[in-house]
Amino acid sequence: MTDLYAVIGNPVAHSQSPHIHRMFAQALGEDIEYGLVLGHPGRFFEDVREFRQSGGRGLNVTVPFKLNAFSYATRRSERATGAGAVNTLKFDGDDVFGDNTDGAGLVRDVRDGCGFTIEDARVLLMGAGGAARGALLPLLAERPARIAIVNRTVAKAEALATGFARHAAGVALRGGAYDDVAGDAFDLVINATSASLADALPPLPPNVFARGALAYDMVYGARARSFIAYALAQGAGRAVDGLGMLVEQAAESFFLWRGVRPATGPVLAALRARDAEVAR
Ligand code: NDP
């Protein structure tokens, strides 16, 4: 029988996950079906139960249900526990395993997709929401020289730095305000805020991009354009959106479910070609 997977979110119709996972399955000859589940706030557990009763083997979880999915899991990976949120559920009888593949997806795209070495780099992480939190353990595991977390609500950045301090041996980890990094330069500048969704820019002080720095916006597509243009104008050597992260986190989920790792390059290229077609 064909194994059933889906992404659950609200809204969910715009999700690229079905397209990505179907391309993975086709390339690997894996017999799966992948659909969309519109979740209902306040009814997440019931919605997931129905999906499992219909034969569902795993779910990707997106806004606003990542915390609900964390509670729903009976076991969790270390990175899900670190993130405090779950974006991937795997069902096996009564066992519900919760994972968070967002941060690993980011690191894989930065490292392998962009060819950037995080080890010994100076990293600026903007934002202190779920995406920034999920990125921290995988980023720290790469042993950068420094990670500065900055956020509009300063206390959240400080709390993240304090909360992850025990995982940061050998890495200078600090949390604070945007103004605190005035005069500092960074090799990797990650926009983990949702500012781009509102066509806004995070309030960065000038000159934070070191020569040749990589600027990375987790937001993808047209909405990342303002930040990319800003970063290049401020001296970044390269600036990219988060489409590669999206594909990499999906590949990590696929691996968890199926035990085989899909090649991401062709899928990312297909999505980029489709975006270019739409923009034309
Ligand atoms: P949250 O809502 O949890 O956090 C949002 C963060 O953005 C907060 O730190 C908030 O600051 C900050 N913020 C919002 N607006 C502004 C602004 N105008 N200026 C400065 N800071 C701002 O969101 P997530 O952490 O879950 O997601 C962040 C982004 O990452 C989203 O846009 C999402 O689309 C993207 N993402 C991409 C993924 C991918 O695969 N490419 C995967 C996961 C997320 P404050 O605390 O002060 O409110």
Side-chain angles (χ1 to χ4, degrees):
M1 214 174 82
T2 303
D3 288 339
L4 181 61
Y5 299 89
V7 54
I8 184 167
N10 190 328
V12 79
H14 67 287
S15 173
Q16 308 238 31
S17 293
H19 190 48
I20 294 171
H21 282 279
R22 285 172 200 153
M23 284 193 273
F24 287 160
Q26 197 178 18
L28 289 166
E30 290 281 310
D31 185 18
I32 71 160
E33 243 179 68
Y34 192 107
L36 295 169
V37 175
L38 178 66
H40 302 84
R43 271 194 40 118
F44 179 81
F45 281 32
E46 286 88 338
D47 290 336
V48 175
R49 199 173 306 131
E50 273 169 31
F51 178 72
R52 290 174 72 187
Q53 280 163 357
S54 69
R57 302 293 306 274
L59 280 170
N60 282 131
V61 182
T62 187
V63 176
F65 298 120
K66 291 184 186 182
L67 297 182
N68 303 90
F70 186 89
S71 309
Y72 189 84
T74 55
R75 287 187 306 126
R76 299 171 195 97
S77 65
E78 192 191 8
R79 59 195 185 185
T81 305
V86 157
N87 79 335
T88 308
L89 290 169
K90 181 182 180 186
F91 310 122
D92 199 358
D94 288 339
D95 184 64
V96 180
F97 184 67
D99 197 359
N100 191 312
T101 64
D102 283 336
L106 167 77
V107 164
R108 205 175 271 269
D109 189 43
V110 167
R111 206 183 50 201
D112 305 342
C114 303
F116 181 91
T117 305
I118 300 172
E119 189 177 3
D120 291 332
R122 297 161 293 177
V123 179
L124 178 60
L125 181 62
M126 296 184 282
R133 169 180 281 276
L136 271 169
L137 269 191
L139 279 173
L140 286 166
E142 297 293 305
R143 299 275 151 238
R146 161 173 199 207
I147 300 181
I149 310 166
V150 291
N151 194 46
R152 193 172 56 178
T153 309
V154 179
K156 282 166 68 181
E158 291 170 343
L160 269 192
T162 307
F164 281 83
R166 68 194 172 88
H167 299 285
V171 182
L173 178 66
R174 302 267 182 285
Y178 282 89
D179 284 348
D180 293 346
V181 294
D184 294 352
F186 297 89
D187 309 298
L188 173 60
V189 177
I190 301 169
N191 187 2
T193 76
S194 50
S196 293
L197 296 183
D199 208 19
L201 290 170
L204 266 181
N207 305 322
V208 295
F209 296 93
R211 197 182 177 80
L214 173 64
Y216 196 103
D217 195 341
M218 287 192 184
V219 169
Y220 51 85
R223 288 179 301 193
R225 277 189 202 140
S226 308
F227 178 72
I228 288 175
Y230 168 80
L232 293 173
Q234 287 286 313
R238 278 182 300 164
V240 299
D241 74 353
L243 191 63
M245 173 179 174
L246 181 77
V247 174
E248 293 294 352
Q249 63 79 26
E252 200 76 15
S253 299
F254 195 97
F255 178 65
L256 176 74
W257 293 328
R258 309 298 298 177
V260 278
R261 188 175 287 285
T264 48
V267 172
L268 182 56
L271 292 178
R272 294 254 185 244
R274 199 180 60 165
D275 284 354
E277 201 62 38
V278 171
R280 196 174 290 159

